[in-house]
Amino acid sequence: MPKIKTKFFLLFAGLLIITSCSDDDVTAVEPEATCFDGIRNGDELGVDCGGICFNTCFDELVLEGELVTRRILSSEIEYTLNGPYIIRDGAILEIEAGTIIKATPNNDSYLIVAQGGQIYIYGESDNPVIITSASENPEPGDWGGLVICGQATTNNGINARSDLGDIFYGGNNNIQGSGTIRYLRLEYTGALFRNEKRFNALTLYGIGSSTNFSNIQAYESMGNAFEIFGGTLNISNLVALNTGLAGIKVSGGWTGAGDSWYLTNQNNSGIELGNNPINFDALPITDAFIENITINGPLTNGALAYNNGGGFFNLFNIYTSSISLGININSDIESLMVDVGNLEIENIEFENPSSNFIPTNYSGATNFYSEGIAIGAGNRNELPDWAQNWTIGF
């Protein structure tokens, strides 16, 4: 009998040990975050800095050089863009809603996403991301702009070099994605690159159709507000105010669609529509559908300028006001493109034109446009509802 009790006691003790080990596994607690563990955790804004840590994240404040990993920019930090900042192949830059980045003027400051890199800007309608000048008295041309290079088709071939930033773009991956941008404001852009060409607020080279870009404003750009060169992306809800050149320039074999563009006070033209500035016959030919556009003058080169060899364009619901020239057909070459039906514009309205207004300088026989009542980007000449709260200058 004593032997049985001993065996039972040992069995019971063994069960207690097993149960105790199991309970330890369930209630295991992660080590508490500290300001000395070499990890960004807790509410820290960087590695062992910011948040509960009293030291400032000085290294986290400056954007310059190259990004080769993943980086998240916090709305709790005001960043300085201090020269070129390149998002390399495989790297990802994420920017939270409400983040402000200030670019150092006259310092070759610009942000560029290389092929294979991605950018995710998560602004909100009442809390946009803002990239602006660091000057106390900002002016157009204080810094470069945002340039994104993709792997989709352009009519400059595969592995072309960008004339802004001088990196590769183009390829055959037409569904490639370069990221997401929503509710972004780009202010005081348009500095010269290598004293040769002005940056645009946003320049897109060969961007694929899996990219999602919408609700972007270019404010006080000395170059174009937006330029789309090749690619297959669709892009919507663009706003341009006070632009030194064109509001939007599209060419390079772009085969996408544009919707809801609101443009006011462009110095040159509202929208430039072309194929290739060097080789007018380059393939693939630009082939785009654009609708719901407002173009408010004044401007000097036409609300719509058809140039650089033309291309295939279908436009619908175009509202214009305070302009002297509606549709500028640039030369005899583009006139031939109109003759064969490559440019079609349906329902364009010319409201409150200047005293010397002409709808087009085209003198051929083709009736390529039709006039009608247009609402444009939403509210005719007024800022559309979708552009309220996150834009400035209106």
Side-chain angles (χ1 to χ4, degrees):
M1 204 57 186
K3 291 183 179 180
I4 294 175
K5 288 183 177 180
T6 302
K7 289 180 179 179
F8 179 80
F9 176 80
L10 292 173
L11 178 60
F12 180 75
L15 289 172
L16 285 175
I17 293 171
I18 293 171
T19 302
S20 176
C21 291
S22 176
D23 289 343
D24 287 344
D25 291 340
V26 172
T27 58
V29 178
E30 293 291 328
E32 183 177 353
T34 74
C35 298
F36 310 99
D37 55 14
I39 304 170
R40 179 180 175 179
N41 47 23
D43 67 347
E44 296 172 355
L45 302 179
V47 177
D48 295 340
C49 62
I52 62 171
C53 306
F54 293 104
N55 54 321
T56 303
C57 302
F58 291 108
D59 290 342
E60 299 288 324
L61 300 178
V62 179
L63 307 178
E64 61 184 353
E66 298 185 350
L67 178 67
V68 295
T69 57
R70 180 187 179 202
R71 183 174 185 181
I72 301 174
L73 302 189
S74 169
S75 60
E76 298 183 37
I77 295 177
E78 183 178 286
Y79 297 88
T80 298
L81 178 62
N82 192 37
Y85 189 50
I86 305 173
I87 316 307
R88 288 295 185 186
D89 185 8
I92 297 174
L93 179 65
E94 299 181 32
I95 307 179
E96 296 178 351
T99 301
I100 296 175
I101 301 171
K102 293 188 175 181
T104 305
N106 305 313
N107 196 47
D108 200 27
S109 299
Y110 58 90
L111 180 61
I112 186 164
V113 182
Q115 284 184 316
Q118 292 185 309
I119 187 167
Y120 292 88
I121 296 178
Y122 296 123
E124 298 171 351
S125 59
D126 59 349
N127 198 22
V129 170
I130 301 170
I131 309 179
T132 188
S133 169
S135 172
E136 292 184 2
N137 300 294
E139 296 180 349
D142 272 356
W143 67 286
L146 172 58
V147 179
I148 305 175
C149 295
Q151 300 168 328
T153 303
T154 78
N155 58 25
N156 267 356
I158 298 174
N159 290 330
R161 301 285 297 195
S162 63
D163 49 4
L164 294 170
D166 192 28
I167 62 174
F168 289 113
Y169 69 89
N172 295 310
N173 186 358
N174 285 336
I175 62 171
Q176 164 263 339
S178 294
T180 295
I181 297 178
R182 58 175 185 251
Y183 297 108
L184 167 67
R185 222 164 60 213
L186 299 163
E187 304 173 357
Y188 305 106
T189 59
L192 284 172
F193 178 67
R194 295 179 178 173
N195 295 317
E196 297 172 359
K197 179 179 171 67
R198 289 204 176 278
F199 280 95
N200 312 300
L202 175 63
T203 308
L204 306 173
Y205 294 98
I207 305 301
S209 61
S210 295
T211 305
N212 298 299
F213 290 168
S214 66
N215 294 289
I216 307 169
Q217 181 186 14
Y219 177 70
E220 297 283 357
S221 173
M222 190 170 282
N224 301 305
F226 305 94
E227 182 167 356
I228 304 169
F229 192 91
T232 56
L233 88 158
N234 300 329
I235 188 165
S236 64
N237 297 64
L238 303 181
V239 178
L241 176 62
N242 301 341
T243 303
L245 297 176
I248 301 177
K249 181 176 180 179
V250 300
S251 62
W254 178 47
T255 55
D259 183 10
S260 300
W261 298 350
Y262 183 82
L263 316 174
T264 294
N265 192 25
Q266 319 306 307
N267 187 54
N268 191 351
S269 53
I271 304 176
E272 291 189 13
L273 310 166
N275 187 46
N276 188 292
I278 298 174
N279 179 6
F280 289 176
D281 299 321
L283 299 175
I285 295 175
T286 306
D287 189 350
F289 177 70
I290 302 171
E291 63 180 338
N292 305 324
I293 308 300
T294 291
I295 302 172
N296 295 316
L299 36 77
T300 60
N301 199 35
L304 303 172
Y306 190 55
N307 57 21
N308 292 332
F312 300 108
F313 288 95
N314 285 276
L315 289 84
F316 174 74
N317 182 33
I318 313 298
Y319 172 90
T320 72
S321 69
S322 304
I323 61 172
S324 57
L325 174 59
I327 308 162
N328 182 4
I329 308 302
N330 188 62
S331 72
D332 291 342
I333 294 174
E334 287 78 27
S335 290
L336 289 173
M337 298 299 103
V338 175
D339 290 342
V340 298
N342 288 359
L343 176 63
E344 296 182 1
I345 304 170
E346 181 181 352
N347 199 43
I348 185 170
E349 180 177 357
F350 305 112
E351 186 178 51
N352 191 32
S354 64
S355 58
N356 60 340
F357 169 76
I358 58 173
T360 181
N361 57 359
Y362 172 72
S363 58
T366 301
N367 186 13
F368 69 95
Y369 71 94
S370 64
E371 295 187 50
I373 302 299
I375 62 170
N379 289 339
R380 295 171 62 78
N381 67 316
E382 297 294 330
L383 189 69
D385 293 345
W386 53 261
Q388 302 288 339
N389 300 322
W390 61 275
T391 59
I392 62 168
F394 299 101

